[in-house]
Structures are given as C-alpha cells and as structure tokens.
C-alpha cells in the first residue's frame, strides 16, 4: 500500500504587526505550494490498481495452487502453462475471465486470468498459479479462503454458473483411464481424469472433457466423440 501525505504548516502568534506577517506568510505558502505542485507534475505517477466495477459478480470459496508438475503443459485454453504468470484454473468461470482474487485471511489481492479448468478436488473452487499464490500468501498453507470478483468475462454465457462436462469412461483401474486419456488428448487437450471415491478404499477414475459453458457445446463434443466409437455422457455440475 502506498500512502501519501501532505506537509502541514501552522501559522500563529500574530501581534500588532500581524498583517505584515500574514502577507509574508501568504507569500511563503503560495510559493511553497507552487514549488511542490511543479515537482508533483514532473514526478512519474505510480500506476494504481484497476478499480473494481461497482456491480461485479462475486463468489467466495477455497483456493489452492499448482505449479512445477504442470509447467510447460497445455492448458484447457490451449495456452502453455507458465507457473510464473498470473493465471488460474477454475470451473466456476468461463475461460478468459479476469478475476480479482482476495485472500480473506490477510487482504492480499491479485488479478488473474482463468486459462485452465480445475481444481479437480472436492471443496476447492480455484487453482492459482505459483506466482499468484505467492502474492496471496497461499504457498505455505496450501489453501486459503478467498473472494473472487469478476472484472471481465468473454462474451456469451453467464459470469458464474453451471458447467457441462462430457464423460467418456469410468474405470476401477487407473491405468485404463490413463490409456484412454492419452488416446483422446491428441485431439482434445481438455480431457482430464477425475478421481471419485465410492468407499473407504474404492476409487473410480472418470475420463472427462470440459467444462463447457453451454449445453449445446457439450452435446456437439459428445456427438464427435461418439462418432469415433466412444461412449459419451453429459454431466452437469
């Protein structure tokens, strides 16, 4: 936070010659103001953080972060992931959404762009890049409760709303899920494996694509996948 102040000048103790002193004081104050105004005009101005629009979509949730293991991989948007960029992954917002994320524990804030889908862990709403997590102080604790204010969203679709996924398989064996993911990843960069726990030691590995903002986009993808011989089911979350 940058704080600015102003020098305060106290003038007092006038005697019978107070009028003269007042005139001198007025001249000194006027000259000083002109001098400092000139200096301020010549000093480079600091860029202020972008103001938050008065009517923004806002939601609170849990943030985590992801980094080295994903460095250099393609995100759901097609961009290459760089952990030192101010980006995030979420399924709450459309790809391309600009967010102001505030850590509710320490009031640190950072602006990010959503360019990936995730996190695929129940109870978490946004995955921050390493850089964004560093700014918010999330690296150490791993997670934090945050507020997400939408600063800008791509045209079409709600700023916040339900999303659709295309599920192409569900396996008890994670190796089978990985093989299917690898086959599909050549054509669909947004294919993911989502782990679901059905019991104390029972896990299912679901191969999904998305998220999609509109159901017709999910239906179009499901049709293309089905024509290639895969089973496709549309999931709404």
């Amino acid at each position: 936070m940058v704080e600015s102040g102003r020098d305060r000048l106290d003038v007092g103790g006038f005697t019978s010659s107070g009028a003269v002193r007042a005139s001198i004081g007025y001249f000194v104050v006027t000259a000083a103001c002109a001098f400092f105004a000139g200096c301020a005009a010549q000093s480079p101005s600091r860029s202020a953080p972008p103001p938050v629009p008065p009517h923004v979509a806002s939601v609170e949730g849990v943030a985590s972060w992801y980094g080295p293991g994903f460095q250099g991989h393609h995100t759901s948007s097609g961009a290459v992931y760089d952990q030192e960029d101010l980006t995030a992954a979420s399924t709450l917002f459309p790809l391309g959404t600009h967010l102001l994320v505030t850590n509710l524990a320490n009031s640190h804030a950072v602006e990010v762009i959503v360019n990936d889908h995730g996190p695929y862990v129940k109870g978490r709403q946004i995955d921050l890049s390493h850089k964004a997590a560093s700014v918010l102080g999330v690296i150490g604790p791993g997670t934090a409760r945050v507020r997400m204010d939408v600063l800008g969203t791509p045209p079409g679709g709600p700023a916040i709303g339900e999303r659709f996924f295309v599920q192409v398989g569900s396996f008890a064996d994670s190796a089978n899920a990985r093989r299917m993911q690898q086959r599909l990843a050549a054509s669909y960069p947004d294919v993911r494996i989502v782990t679901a726990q059905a019991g104390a030691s029972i896990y299912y590995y679901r191969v999904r694509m998305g998220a999609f903002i509109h159901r017709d986009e999910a239906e179009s993808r499901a049709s293309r996948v089905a024509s290639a011989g895969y089973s496709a089911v549309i999931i709404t979350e």
Side-chain angles (χ1 to χ4, degrees):
M1 180 179 296
V2 177
E3 297 183 355
S4 61
R6 179 177 300 171
D7 290 336
R8 194 174 76 184
L9 178 63
D10 293 325
V11 179
F14 284 103
T15 63
S16 58
S17 57
V20 175
R21 294 186 181 183
S23 298
I24 295 174
Y26 176 81
F27 173 78
V28 171
V29 171
T30 304
C33 290
F35 173 80
F36 287 116
C39 291
Q42 295 173 15
S43 300
S45 58
R46 292 179 179 269
S47 57
V52 179
H55 303 291
V56 298
S58 181
V59 63
E60 291 185 6
V62 175
S64 51
W65 67 278
Y66 67 131
F70 297 88
Q71 180 71 12
H73 291 196
H74 285 275
T75 64
S76 299
S77 66
V80 175
Y81 177 69
D82 185 341
Q83 64 175 356
E84 298 309 316
D85 286 341
L86 293 175
T87 59
S90 181
T91 56
L92 288 178
F93 312 95
L95 294 175
T97 299
H98 287 261
L99 297 174
L100 181 67
V101 184
T102 303
N103 186 338
L104 297 178
N106 58 22
S107 298
H108 293 179
V110 65
E111 185 177 341
V112 300
I113 184 170
V114 177
N115 70 346
D116 204 0
H117 290 133
Y120 296 102
V121 177
K122 188 175 181 180
R124 300 180 186 178
Q125 286 69 45
I126 190 169
D127 245 349
L128 301 165
S129 68
H130 178 269
K131 177 68 172 181
S134 297
V135 174
L136 294 185
V138 181
I139 298 295
T143 61
R145 188 155 187 85
V146 299
R147 186 182 69 248
M148 295 159 278
D149 299 311
V150 177
L151 301 181
T153 190
I160 301 174
E162 66 180 4
R163 298 290 182 266
F164 305 95
F165 299 84
V166 175
Q167 183 165 303
V168 292
S170 181
F171 304 90
D173 187 345
S174 61
N176 291 334
R178 285 195 299 272
R179 280 193 287 270
M180 175 174 279
Q181 179 196 24
Q182 289 166 0
R183 289 198 301 269
L184 291 167
S187 302
Y188 306 103
D190 61 345
V191 63
R192 297 283 189 274
I193 296 175
V194 180
T195 303
Q197 187 171 2
S201 58
I202 301 175
Y203 295 88
Y204 289 100
Y205 304 91
R206 298 167 177 171
V207 183
R208 290 185 177 182
M209 300 176 180
F212 300 94
I213 302 172
H214 304 292
R215 186 178 179 85
D216 57 358
E217 295 175 337
E219 291 174 347
S220 176
R221 174 68 66 84
S223 178
R224 289 166 57 193
V225 171
S227 67
Y230 294 93
S231 173
V233 178
I234 296 175
I235 306 295
T236 304
E237 291 184 353

